[in-house]
Amino acid sequence: MARASQLRAEGRAAEAAEAYRRLLAIRPDLPDSWYNLGLMERACGRFEAALAAYGEALRRGVSGPEEARLNRGVIYADDLGRPELAEAELSAALALRPGYLPGLLNLGNLHEDMGRREAARAAYEQALAADPGNAVALARLAGLERPGRADAPIIGRLEAALAAPGRTAEERAELGFALGRALDQAAAYEAAWRAYAAANAASRAADPAGARYDRAAQAALVDRLIAAFPAAAAGDPGAEPGPVFICGLFRSGSTLVEQILARHSRVTAGGELGLVPRLAARLRPYPEALAGPEGPALVARARTLYREGLRAARPGAEVVTDKRPDNFLHLGLIRAMFPGARIVHTVRQPLDVILSNWFLHLDRSMPQALDLEDMAHWHGQHERLMRHWKTLYPDILEVDYDRLVVEPQPVVEALLAYCGLDWEAGVLDFHKAAAPVRTASVWQVREPLYRRSSGRWRNYERHLDGVRAALEK
């Protein structure tokens, strides 16, 4: 038990899971250890095993059963794409503990993913009834609104919450990003800019170490990726192509492309599966290990693990999309695993992409988004790496968001043809899909195509001289 706990604390999930399994083979009557095994199995990407471990924890009387139900709900929603089972688990958690804040917030988020605006609103209002000062609940509630003027009630509510004494930096960031969005929606652009600037500063203050973007390290990573994959992958391009990989800069239209494809009768949306980054993390040192003598064996093992993970996440699907924007870093690995992989790269006007990232409260894995010039550097490194990949693999399909929203049909026809799919007119009605959408643009992709996000940077043009200069370096 001590060894399992130590490994868990050190973040060594696979070893910790094995230690918990050995412990529970001896003492199966330890519900909290079953719970911890569930945590470790999910960290390893073994979702069904995690569900089974949480199930054992519940059967054996785990302390805090609502947390086990919550974690099962998150796996069903985030990892396995089974929203109806996720909702059942969250409802069970709330039945065990009415007013359970994480349960209400996750339920509201699930309703948003499913396009149920009023149900999401009710969940967030319940969360605020349970905790009136909760910044996350208020920020998410504000995200459901589209205020038409700067004196809209939700804006006043956000400003009052920000002014409340004792707010942590993380809370000020949460509320500040929501306020910036509301002011932007109300066309109060100068006030929105100030709110976004304060929100990004608060997010940096909440975690000074985690919020630091290392430009030199990112440039070095791109150098190493280019060096590790100097030539196109060998193999039969006509072999199994695997899923359709959709990548690009975050906020460049990847979710829109996936939703269009997902309306096709043969396609299942995989969403941000995380399979490729997990495989890359296991290949140490990455990417150099793939260029060594063990490279072919490592690629074969990675291919097997990817297929197993895909079958577990989206069982029975004919064509699956793997929409992970940062997979642009791993196109060498992807083409090594699947030489015939269909890779769709989404692009968008650089200033719009950079601002869209700076306008969002993203997690600490994207520290570049907290600073406009850091985002410009990230953009430049992305462009440098994509030039390399496209030299090796000129068949990568580029989809331009700004062209897609102006003249969708020819862009979508080319997209379907590239993916080996026949034309179906229903793909243009992507906004009518009932499937869950897990993205920061959850409400945008539930509307018909619109152009208002193209050229959005012009509303903030006078603040962008430094970014423009950084893009030109």
Side-chain angles (χ1 to χ4, degrees):
M1 184 181 290
R3 178 65 173 156
S5 298
Q6 179 185 351
L7 290 166
R8 177 167 59 89
E10 292 173 359
R12 295 159 66 180
E15 295 168 85
E18 176 58 26
Y20 278 117
R21 283 193 291 269
R22 290 173 59 196
L23 167 66
L24 290 163
I26 302 166
R27 289 286 306 277
D29 58 332
L30 299 173
D32 289 354
S33 293
W34 283 107
Y35 177 92
N36 289 329
L37 174 59
L39 290 174
M40 296 303 96
E41 295 285 23
R42 188 196 180 204
C44 294
R46 296 190 285 260
F47 306 122
E48 295 293 346
L51 290 169
Y54 286 129
E56 282 294 323
L58 287 163
R59 279 188 289 276
R60 296 176 184 276
V62 68
S63 57
E66 71 279 3
E67 293 183 25
R69 290 289 185 188
L70 173 73
N71 289 356
R72 284 171 60 88
V74 170
I75 290 170
Y76 280 128
D78 292 6
D79 302 315
L80 297 178
R82 302 176 194 170
E84 68 291 343
L85 295 178
E87 186 171 0
E89 292 288 350
L90 294 174
S91 297
L94 290 165
L96 288 164
R97 185 175 160 191
Y100 177 45
L101 199 61
L104 289 166
L105 292 174
N106 276 274
L107 183 60
N109 195 54
L110 179 65
H111 286 315
E112 285 200 72
D113 294 345
M114 298 302 296
R116 305 169 188 154
R117 191 183 296 266
E118 292 311 310
R121 191 190 310 278
Y124 295 142
E125 290 286 14
Q126 280 183 269
L128 287 166
D131 181 8
N134 190 271
V136 174
L138 180 56
R140 291 187 183 175
L141 183 65
L144 301 173
E145 306 289 337
R146 182 179 284 280
R149 59 185 197 279
D151 61 349
I154 192 63
I155 291 176
R157 199 170 171 183
L158 288 166
E159 289 172 336
L162 269 167
R167 286 289 185 193
T168 66
E170 186 61 33
E171 288 173 328
R172 286 187 280 110
E174 193 76 54
L175 294 165
F177 282 107
L179 177 60
R181 177 194 174 279
L183 289 165
D184 177 83
Q185 294 282 343
Y189 300 121
E190 288 304 308
W193 182 269
R194 292 192 296 272
Y196 281 130
N200 278 284
S203 190
R204 286 193 297 274
D207 183 8
R212 181 177 177 271
Y213 170 62
D214 190 331
R215 298 185 188 184
Q218 184 64 19
L221 173 61
V222 171
D223 288 340
R224 290 166 50 215
L225 287 164
I226 291 172
F229 299 101
D236 178 10
E240 177 201 348
V244 177
F245 293 92
I246 305 170
C247 64
L249 286 171
F250 192 58
R251 307 295 288 165
S252 65
S254 58
T255 299
L256 176 58
V257 167
E258 181 176 55
Q259 290 306 110
I260 290 170
L261 286 173
R263 285 290 285 175
H264 195 280
S265 60
R266 294 175 55 200
V267 178
T268 298
E272 297 187 9
L273 292 171
L275 293 171
V276 173
R278 276 199 296 272
L279 289 172
R282 295 178 60 165
L283 297 168
R284 297 179 182 175
Y286 180 79
E288 290 79 8
L290 295 171
E294 299 299 317
L298 292 173
V299 168
R301 177 61 177 158
R303 184 187 303 114
T304 298
L305 291 172
Y306 185 95
R307 286 171 173 159
E308 290 173 354
L310 190 65
R311 281 195 296 270
R314 300 294 182 270
E318 181 181 357
V319 178
V320 183
T321 54
D322 183 336
K323 179 199 74 80
R324 177 87 187 198
D326 58 354
N327 273 349
F328 78 85
L329 294 166
H330 307 301
L331 296 186
L333 171 59
I334 287 170
R335 273 291 170 89
M337 292 191 296
F338 302 106
R342 297 154 296 188
I343 297 170
V344 179
H345 177 233
T346 56
V347 299
R348 185 182 176 191
Q349 206 284 338
L351 290 173
D352 278 335
V353 170
I354 289 169
L355 272 184
S356 290
N357 279 265
W358 193 68
F359 286 170
L360 285 177
H361 193 194
L362 300 171
D363 67 39
R364 299 295 184 260
S365 67
M366 299 182 66
Q368 68 274 11
L370 294 168
D371 182 275
L372 290 167
E373 292 183 24
D374 281 347
M375 264 306 301
H377 181 271
W378 175 267
H379 183 279
Q381 295 305 309
H382 162 267
E383 292 294 288
R384 183 162 73 96
L385 183 56
M386 285 308 305
R387 283 194 296 272
H388 176 69
W389 297 139
K390 288 175 182 178
T391 299
L392 300 186
Y393 305 111
D395 62 308
I396 292 172
L397 179 70
E398 186 171 282
V399 174
D400 187 320
Y401 170 86
D402 297 299
R403 182 177 171 226
L404 173 60
V405 298
V406 172
E407 45 180 351
Q409 184 147 339
V411 176
V412 174
E413 285 175 346
L415 173 65
L416 294 180
Y418 177 74
C419 296
L421 300 168
D422 294 331
W423 171 257
E424 292 181 4
V427 296
L428 295 177
D429 292 326
F430 62 90
H431 57 288
K432 298 178 181 177
V437 181
R438 300 194 59 80
T439 172
S441 52
V442 60
W443 293 111
Q444 290 95 314
V445 297
R446 295 203 180 274
E447 300 179 35
L449 284 175
Y450 57 81
R451 304 181 189 182
R452 62 177 179 269
S453 290
S454 287
R456 186 183 184 190
W457 64 270
R458 293 188 179 87
N459 299 323
Y460 301 95
E461 186 169 7
R462 76 182 193 88
H463 299 284
L464 301 178
D465 289 346
V467 185
R468 284 173 152 170
L471 282 171
E472 292 169 3
K473 288 180 181 178

